[in-house]
Structures are given as C-alpha cells and as structure tokens.
Amino acid sequence: MPVAKDDLERMLKESFPDATLRIDDLAGDGDHYRAVIVSEAFRGKSRIQQHQLVYAALGGRMGGELHALALTTSAPN
C-alpha cells in the first residue's frame, strides 16, 4: 500500500519538528517522492548520516510501502 503525502509529511515532522519540508509526489502514485528537508538535526552530519536519520524516521517503510524517495537534506544557513 502506498504512503500518502500527508502521512509522509507527518512522519518527517514528528522526527524533525523544526524542519522546513517540501515534498513532491513525482509520479502521482504515492510511491515516488522527492523531499527537501532542512533541519538543525542535520548540522555537523555527513550526507549519509542525514539520510540515515530520514530513513529511521520512516520506520522501515523504504523499499516496501515507499518505493523511491529522492532526498535533499541540510542544516539551516
């Protein structure tokens, strides 16, 4: 079952409450998204560590309910 855009946003906001989020449904199918996440939680972390935090926030849905997620992550300027 696909992940609704609102559910994806909720999961990310729960883990990154300070985040500025932009989520785009790339294919209109609830399986392919692009997310731009700016959060203080990413400060001082490598890109890999940042993405690992996002995957952890999704609770194992990557590769199952959520087929593809193009990520852009950063700390605020």
Side-chain angles (χ1 to χ4, degrees):
M1 174 175 242
V3 176
K5 182 179 175 181
D6 291 342
D7 291 336
L8 179 58
E9 184 171 351
R10 180 188 47 76
M11 286 184 278
L12 293 171
K13 279 302 242 184
E14 285 175 0
S15 292
F16 309 103
D18 71 318
T20 301
L21 292 174
R22 189 182 85 226
I23 300 172
D24 301 310
D25 188 342
L26 299 176
D29 61 3
D31 279 340
H32 299 81
Y33 290 99
R34 172 182 22 236
V36 177
I37 309 168
V38 179
S39 173
E40 195 60 45
F42 300 138
R43 188 166 309 282
K45 296 193 172 33
S46 71
R47 186 73 40 147
I48 291 171
Q49 290 170 321
Q50 292 173 20
H51 290 198
Q52 288 171 334
L53 288 172
V54 174
Y55 296 147
L58 298 176
R61 288 177 178 81
M62 278 305 303
E65 297 170 53
L66 185 58
H67 179 71
L69 180 63
L71 284 174
T72 301
T73 55
S74 66
N77 291 331

